[in-house]
């Protein structure tokens, strides 16, 4: 079934630990994105990638890093988690960066203690 | 700064019509999106407007006025399954989506 998968579904993490959230799409989309969603706030873009091999910073990139080694995968890494990174993380993809519908994965619920 | 405003919550009755408004101030404009998000789920695409006017898709319609920085989503013949949050998002001059906080729509029988 075509779409976007994310792993894990949820995670409880001790502050200071390193964590990688995984995202894989099989739609051969060029552009991919990572958002966080917090109660009362809109989705905020963390990082994005226009195509394999390139990445860019979004609105809230501090404390996060990404890589795009191939078209399908776009992992998000928290090098040293802090409680303010408690959130729901959504990965999304679109055919291109410009003017295209973004399709979202099911999300990862992360609690940092 | 960039800003997307939409009401926090709205209540409507099953079978009725509801209009959810969105106003925006962004650096540049490359289209406006509406997404639906049920509680605990991912956002799903509803509509995209880049030119002024009304786009109709079944029970859902979306309107855009670029000169007023204004859009609305119109939902007709409301069903209980329409209870969800509705997210307005604008693509700015850097082709990044700026998202509103969402409008939680509660449908009552």
């Amino acid at each position: 079934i075509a779409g976007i998968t994310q792993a894990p579904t949820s995670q409880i993490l001790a502050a200071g630990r390193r964590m990688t959230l995984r995202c894989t799409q099989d739609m051969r989309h060029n552009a991919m994105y990572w958002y966080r969603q917090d109660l009362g706030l809109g989705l905020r873009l963390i990082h994005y990638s226009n195509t394999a091999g390139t990445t860019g910073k979004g609105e809230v990139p501090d404390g996060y890093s990404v890589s795009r080694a191939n078209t399908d995968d776009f992992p998000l890494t928290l090098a040293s988690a802090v409680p303010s990174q408690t959130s729901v993380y959504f990965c999304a993809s679109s055919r291109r960066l410009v003017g295209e519908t973004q399709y979202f994965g099911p999300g990862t619920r992360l609690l940092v203690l | 700064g960039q800003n997307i405003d939409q009401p926090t919550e709205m209540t409507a009755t099953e079978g009725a019509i509801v209009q959810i408004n969105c106003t925006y101030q962004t650096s540049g404009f490359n289209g406006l999106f509406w997404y639906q998000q049920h509680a605990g789920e991912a956002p799903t695409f509803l509509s995209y407007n880049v030119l002024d006017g009304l786009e109709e898709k079944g029970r859902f319609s979306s309107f855009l006025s670029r000169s007023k920085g204004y859009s609305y989503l119109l939902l007709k013949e409301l069903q209980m399954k329409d209870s969800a949050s509705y997210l307005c998002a604008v693509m700015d001059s850097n082709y990044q989506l700026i998202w509103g906080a969402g409008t939680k729509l509660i449908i009552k029988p």
Side-chain angles (χ1 to χ4, degrees), chain A residues 16 18 31-32 39-40 44 65 67 70 77 80 88 93 95-96 109 111:
Chain A
R18 180 184 180 89
M32 297 186 75
L39 200 61
R44 291 183 291 169
S65 63
S67 61
N70 57 60
T77 298
S80 179
V88 180
S93 72
R95 285 193 306 170
R96 303 174 301 164
R109 285 143 189 82
L111 174 61

Side-chain angles (χ1 to χ4, degrees), chain B residues 74-106:
Chain B
L74 191 72
L75 291 71
K76 303 175 187 175
E77 301 169 15
L78 286 169
Q79 301 175 11
M80 297 303 292
K81 68 178 181 179
D82 297 330
S83 292
S85 288
Y86 291 85
L87 314 181
C88 174
V90 174
M91 185 162 282
D92 69 8
S93 57
N94 294 319
Y95 301 106
Q96 292 190 6
L97 276 181
I98 309 302
W99 295 80
T103 298
K104 183 177 179 181
L105 179 63
I106 299 168

